[in-house]
Amino acid sequence: IGQFPLWLLLSYLFFSMMIYFALTINEALLFRHFNHPLPYHKTALASFVSTTISHNIGYSIITGGSLRFRFYTVMDVSTMEISSFIGMHAIFFWLGFFLLAGIVFLVEPLPLPSAWHLPFSTLLPLAILFLIIIAGFYFAVFKKFSLKIHQWVFTVPTFKLSSALILVSSLDWFFSGIALYVLLPPSLGISFLFCLGIYLLAQITGVS
């Protein structure tokens, strides 16, 4: 740590805080879809604790999901609403990723290693695929798509709320990329866009 200047460490701390701040905003916004708005300080605490533990331990659906059940049950949120919330939270988390990765891979289509033996050599096809997913989701928004499974009904949020959720989620991924980039030595000579592309590609390979 001593090799980093103070301003750089403060920058890293700031962007790390913005990552969690974006997640708390997303959580608060999502409750508006269920017509069950909660005080921000309560959702922020649940979001911060659940996210911090799930990011460090892993198995986010189990760790973060069970913690959210514990927090929101105390806040008189029904089990059905919490289950829907957790599912939609995951959906918008990845929709934000698809939007940001689609734009970054489109602008900076990084070459892929030939050892991967993929039918394409750059990230451009993935960019197109991700943006098609975003377009498909907005088609569902305009069609007011709903899915009913037994007593559980899934309805997509309004265009305005969906856009806000996707944008905030994209900012969360964007801040994560910046936090990584500021710690890289300048001698590497790589641009932020290239670094962000590598970071987003690493998330895909990590999941797969």
Side-chain angles (χ1 to χ4, degrees):
I1 296 178
Q3 63 180 324
F4 295 109
L6 180 60
W7 68 267
L8 194 149
L9 292 175
L10 291 176
S11 298
Y12 172 77
L13 179 62
F14 171 76
F15 289 117
S16 296
M17 292 172 60
M18 292 302 295
I19 294 169
Y20 288 98
F21 176 67
L23 289 171
T24 63
I25 294 297
N26 234 17
E27 203 132 334
L29 284 173
L30 193 50
F31 268 111
R32 294 179 180 273
H33 173 61
F34 297 101
N35 295 318
H36 199 146
L38 296 171
Y40 173 72
H41 69 276
K42 291 186 177 181
T43 57
L45 176 62
S47 173
F48 179 77
V49 174
S50 303
T51 304
T52 302
I53 293 177
S54 64
H55 280 188
N56 285 276
I57 297 178
Y59 307 102
S60 59
I61 294 296
I62 298 175
T63 55
S66 59
L67 284 169
R68 285 184 172 88
F69 259 105
R70 175 61 178 170
F71 274 108
Y72 293 131
T73 300
V74 175
M75 299 178 198
D76 294 326
V77 182
S78 69
T79 302
M80 193 70 67
E81 287 178 322
I82 298 173
S83 300
S84 301
F85 172 87
I86 292 173
M88 293 190 66
H89 185 273
I91 289 172
F92 280 103
F93 181 74
W94 285 107
L95 284 174
F97 174 88
F98 291 148
L99 177 61
L100 181 62
I103 295 172
V104 172
F105 294 166
L106 188 66
V107 176
E108 185 80 22
L110 302 175
L112 295 171
S114 58
W116 289 8
H117 303 293
L118 295 173
F120 45 89
S121 58
T122 71
L123 290 175
L124 184 59
L126 276 182
I128 296 172
L129 173 63
F130 290 163
L131 294 177
I132 288 175
I133 291 174
I134 294 296
F137 174 78
Y138 274 109
F139 178 78
V141 170
F142 285 118
K143 288 293 184 178
K144 298 181 179 179
F145 173 82
S146 64
L147 176 65
K148 184 175 182 180
I149 303 176
H150 298 293
Q151 295 181 341
W152 181 74
V153 180
F154 171 84
T155 58
V156 294
T158 63
F159 174 83
K160 184 177 180 180
L161 183 56
S162 294
S163 298
L165 288 165
I166 294 174
L167 177 61
V168 174
S169 179
S170 295
L171 287 174
D172 169 49
W173 288 102
F174 183 75
F175 290 138
S176 298
I178 296 179
L180 171 65
Y181 184 71
V182 297
L183 294 179
L184 296 178
S187 59
L188 290 178
I190 62 174
S191 67
F192 168 66
L193 198 59
F194 182 87
C195 174
L196 184 59
I198 293 294
Y199 169 73
L200 294 173
L201 178 61
Q203 304 306 312
I204 300 171
T205 56
V207 171
S208 60

